[in-house]
Amino acid sequence: MSIFRIGRTYKNLKRLGEIANVLAKHGFGYLIHRLNLRHLLHLRRRVFKNEEPYLVEQEIKKACEELGPTFIKFGQLLSLRSDVLPAKLTNELAKLQDQVKPFPFAEVKKILEAEYKNKTEEIFSHIEEKPLASASMAQVHLAALKGTKEKLIIKVQRPGIEKEVERDLDILYFLANRIEKLVPEFKVYNPVGIVDEFSKAIRKELDFTYEVSNADRFRKAFKNNKTVLIPKINFDYSGRRVIAMEFVEGIKISRFLRSNRSAEEKKQVASSITSIYYSMIFEQGFFHADPHPGNILIMKDGKVGLVDFGMTGRLDEQMLKRLAFILLSFSDEDFVLEKYIHTGLISEYEENPEFQKEAMLLLERYKGFPLEKIDIGSALSELAELARSYGVKFEKDLTLLAKTLYTVERIIRDMVPDFDFVTATKPFARKYIGEKISAGKVIRELEKNITAFYSLIRALPNEILNIAKLIRKGTLKIEFEHVGLETLINEIDRSSNRLSFAVIIASVVVGSALVVHSGKSPFFGIGGFIVAGLLGLWLGVSILRSGKL
């Protein structure tokens, strides 16, 4: 993406400058210099060399908070990518809080009336002006329908947030492309790919119809479950920018933890939450991925209420098999390398015996552990971090699941410190494996694989013939990419630019000397010497600041 697209409006260019200066303020001025964006910095930051920050993770978190909603959301997404980023950074970014100053109630009414094509007084008998909660993307109000007096929670999108997000996405794409081009050591983190993933996620979050669909799907899945309550969506008053849902009267799990409820009641709630999440995982392959304390409510009758379905995760059959085998390994103390290879947890094509050895050592560490001391989310997170350190791919959805389970387990540990997660989740894993490895299922999979193999055999001769024809014609093309040469190319460019600059300065000096010597225009000659001196000084400072004499 070109700087000219970023700068297509004054506001966009101004925002890019704001981002550059915030990053420099938090110790990332060296990065701005490497991206050749130093001209966007304030004069003081341009002159003085910017060292890398000592507490990198904390400074990244502070920069995200200062840059506002899009970057807070971006940081929250990065906190889920322990398969790509170091655990220290993801743990720090997980602390980002999405709470901002509420926007005026007059704006709320304007959005509702635009969405409903009607006056709010004609629809609601009452709307609380003070929001129940206010976040970067939306805020929530309590309302009552006219006539029925049914209590609803109204979630209203923040005005102007779509334009703000699109502007920041343009800039993030620009920065990601520039980082891949000019800071090759960061290419391993796939900056453009991460921004791609983020742009899809945040655009879905801005379209409330996705959240409405998720909430309705969970409600239908748990309609016969007596331990969980999913708010009913009022489709008549929900749309792309507004969600209207049933008001659930309960207390946040954080308040429940501090209450004087008996140990038995707390254990029952802990058991219910665990069962609900593993039911989502193994029975639906679709789970609520934002289980922070504000999104889990406890009813008077002990039911667990779940709200806010903007972030969800999906697991395919292969991933569920892997998870089931891990859980059963913990309970049966059966850690065998071949089993993990066959289930796909560790790829048999992965030529990394050191990673395989370390992964098995990590899991075998739990052999003989009291079951109530094992945290499944922690174990999965450690596996993801180990895979990242060895450059081994660990599925993104499994990483999201690990973060979700880790958060749920932390909440439950606060209620019941010795809660046995392994025993509580074992029936779900056993049932899933039993269903997926039944005789009928194996035969069906075998038939499917035979069909695929037959198709491959049929197509193979033609494919080989096509390759042979290309070789005969001399038109076979092989693509390859130089890796690691970008730094050398940049250094050569920088050196040649400095050399050219030095030649220009020398030419100015020689020309000025000739003018002075002629005696005709000494003023211009002296002026040339001054210009050459300033340019030489600037070049000298630039070389000194680079640290390469």
Side-chain angles (χ1 to χ4, degrees):
M1 184 175 296
S2 161
I3 185 73
F4 298 108
R5 184 179 171 191
I6 290 297
R8 62 178 179 256
T9 69
Y10 170 71
K11 285 184 179 179
N12 284 14
L13 193 55
K14 184 181 177 185
R15 175 63 170 165
L16 180 59
E18 181 186 334
I19 292 167
N21 280 284
V22 167
L23 290 174
K25 172 184 171 182
H26 289 282
F28 298 96
Y30 72 96
L31 180 61
I32 300 301
H33 281 265
R34 287 194 66 181
L35 296 178
N36 291 333
L37 296 174
R38 62 179 70 83
H39 59 282
L40 296 172
L41 298 177
H42 300 319
L43 183 61
R44 178 176 59 82
R45 292 198 174 102
R46 271 188 251 175
V47 173
F48 296 104
K49 188 174 180 180
N50 292 273
E51 301 291 342
E52 293 189 37
Y54 175 65
L55 299 171
V56 177
E57 298 82 11
Q58 290 182 18
E59 294 303 325
I60 291 175
K61 172 179 169 281
K62 288 175 185 175
C64 286
E65 287 172 337
E66 191 168 338
L67 288 170
T70 308
F71 285 82
I72 289 173
K73 289 289 180 185
F74 189 49
Q76 289 172 340
L77 172 81
L78 292 178
S79 75
L80 304 173
R81 297 306 308 270
S82 53
D83 58 322
V84 177
L85 302 171
K88 275 187 178 180
L89 176 57
T90 56
N91 291 338
E92 189 64 32
L93 291 175
K95 299 173 187 175
L96 281 166
Q97 296 298 310
D98 190 15
Q99 295 176 340
V100 297
K101 184 180 176 182
F103 57 90
F105 185 68
E107 292 286 348
V108 173
K109 286 190 69 176
K110 191 186 296 183
I111 292 167
L112 290 175
E113 289 174 358
E115 192 75 19
Y116 298 149
K117 307 290 189 294
N118 202 350
K119 295 285 185 185
T120 53
E121 292 81 6
E122 297 296 319
I123 301 168
F124 303 107
S125 60
H126 177 69
I127 304 178
E128 291 283 349
E129 291 195 15
K130 185 180 178 182
L132 295 175
S134 179
S136 56
M137 298 293 163
Q139 69 185 36
V140 175
H141 292 260
L142 180 62
L145 280 177
K146 199 169 184 178
T148 64
K149 304 295 181 184
E150 178 191 352
K151 283 187 177 180
L152 294 176
I153 292 293
I154 308 294
K155 183 176 179 179
V156 185
Q157 192 173 105
R158 188 169 285 273
I161 192 65
E162 284 185 288
K163 286 183 180 177
E164 186 178 334
V165 166
E166 288 300 328
R167 177 199 63 193
D168 283 348
L169 282 176
D170 273 355
I171 294 171
L172 280 170
Y173 271 116
F174 168 73
L175 292 174
N177 277 293
R178 213 165 177 84
I179 285 170
E180 287 200 355
K181 183 180 177 183
L182 300 175
V183 193
E185 61 266 33
F186 281 9
K187 199 171 182 179
V188 67
Y189 299 116
N190 189 17
V192 173
I194 288 176
V195 174
D196 265 332
E197 180 191 337
F198 173 62
S199 70
K200 291 172 188 172
I202 199 167
R203 283 176 178 136
K204 280 185 179 178
E205 191 168 341
L206 285 170
D207 185 348
F208 287 174
T209 57
Y210 284 97
E211 186 175 342
V212 165
S213 173
N214 292 340
D216 191 56
R217 179 175 171 179
F218 280 117
R219 181 176 170 79
K220 286 174 181 174
F222 286 98
K223 65 181 178 182
N224 297 321
N225 191 310
K226 304 299 181 185
T227 63
V228 64
L229 178 62
I230 310 289
K232 183 180 178 181
I233 297 292
N234 188 314
F235 284 92
D236 293 335
Y237 300 109
S238 297
R240 194 170 178 278
R241 298 173 67 201
V242 177
I243 300 177
M245 71 182 82
E246 171 190 4
F247 172 64
V248 175
E249 196 164 357
I251 61 170
K252 291 180 182 179
I253 190 75
S254 50
R255 277 186 60 196
F256 181 80
L257 289 171
R258 297 192 300 269
S259 68
N260 57 359
R261 303 290 182 97
S262 67
E264 190 57 39
E265 283 180 290
K266 289 182 178 179
K267 190 171 183 178
Q268 183 56 50
V269 167
S271 180
S272 294
I273 293 172
T274 305
S275 295
I276 289 164
Y277 268 88
Y278 278 95
S279 177
M280 286 180 195
I281 291 163
F282 285 112
E283 292 173 14
Q284 310 301 324
F286 182 64
F287 60 95
H288 178 258
D290 193 13
H292 73 72
N295 290 340
I296 301 177
L297 306 174
I298 308 301
M299 312 295 113
K300 287 181 180 178
D301 59 1
K303 277 188 180 180
V304 176
L306 294 179
V307 297
D308 196 345
F309 298 91
M311 187 186 295
T312 56
R314 286 173 172 78
L315 299 167
D316 61 27
E317 192 174 302
Q318 190 63 26
M319 283 190 277
L320 287 170
K321 280 183 188 175
R322 298 174 198 183
L323 181 63
F325 273 108
I326 291 173
L327 291 173
L328 294 177
S329 295
F330 286 135
S331 60
D332 300 341
E333 296 188 0
D334 181 20
F335 299 96
V336 181
L337 179 62
E338 286 74 18
K339 178 192 288 186
Y340 289 99
I341 290 175
H342 292 317
T343 58
L345 176 65
I346 300 169
S347 170
E348 59 184 318
Y349 305 110
E350 186 68 56
E351 294 181 9
N352 200 327
E354 281 301 310
F355 166 69
Q356 293 181 354
K357 181 181 173 183
E358 288 296 321
M360 294 314 301
L361 284 173
L362 188 154
L363 292 169
E364 283 179 343
R365 184 185 63 185
Y366 292 101
K367 208 168 189 176
F369 249 55
L371 296 182
E372 66 274 11
K373 297 294 182 184
I374 297 174
D375 286 348
I376 296 159
S378 295
L380 287 174
S381 295
E382 287 177 40
L383 266 178
E385 173 65 13
L386 183 68
R388 186 201 64 78
S389 67
Y390 277 94
V392 175
K393 186 178 178 183
F394 198 85
E395 279 88 345
K396 180 179 64 180
D397 290 302
L398 273 178
T399 306
L400 178 60
L401 176 65
K403 286 283 184 183
T404 301
L405 292 179
Y406 179 83
T407 306
V408 170
E409 287 170 350
R410 296 281 66 72
I411 292 170
I412 290 173
R413 285 275 185 234
D414 286 341
M415 278 193 293
V416 185
D418 60 348
F419 189 82
D420 184 350
F421 293 104
V422 175
T423 301
T425 55
K426 185 176 176 180
F428 294 95
R430 280 239 183 270
K431 183 182 176 186
Y432 185 82
I433 291 296
E435 288 174 353
K436 297 302 174 185
I437 308 186
S438 63
K441 181 74 174 177
V442 170
I443 289 169
R444 284 194 297 274
E445 284 192 4
L446 188 61
E447 287 173 350
K448 191 182 1 175
N449 290 335
I450 288 171
T451 304
F453 185 69
Y454 175 67
S455 299
L456 175 65
I457 294 297
R458 282 189 63 187
L460 197 58
N462 284 333
E463 293 297 331
I464 293 171
L465 187 60
N466 288 335
I467 292 171
K469 284 178 181 177
L470 290 173
I471 293 172
R472 198 180 308 121
K473 290 179 182 178
T475 57
L476 183 67
K477 293 181 181 179
I478 300 174
E479 273 191 28
F480 66 94
E481 180 183 357
H482 286 295
V483 177
L485 294 181
E486 293 88 348
T487 304
L488 176 62
I489 292 167
N490 291 335
E491 286 299 323
I492 291 171
D493 282 344
R494 192 176 291 111
S495 299
S496 60
N497 288 340
R498 284 176 178 168
L499 187 60
S500 301
F501 204 61
V503 170
I504 292 169
I505 293 170
S507 301
V508 173
V509 170
V510 171
S512 300
L514 291 172
V515 170
V516 170
H517 183 70
S518 69
K520 292 181 179 179
S521 302
F523 175 77
F524 290 109
I526 292 168
F529 281 127
I530 293 170
V531 170
L534 291 173
L535 291 175
L537 180 63
W538 184 84
L539 179 61
V541 169
S542 175
I543 293 169
L544 288 170
R545 287 185 62 206
S546 71
K548 296 175 183 178
L549 288 172

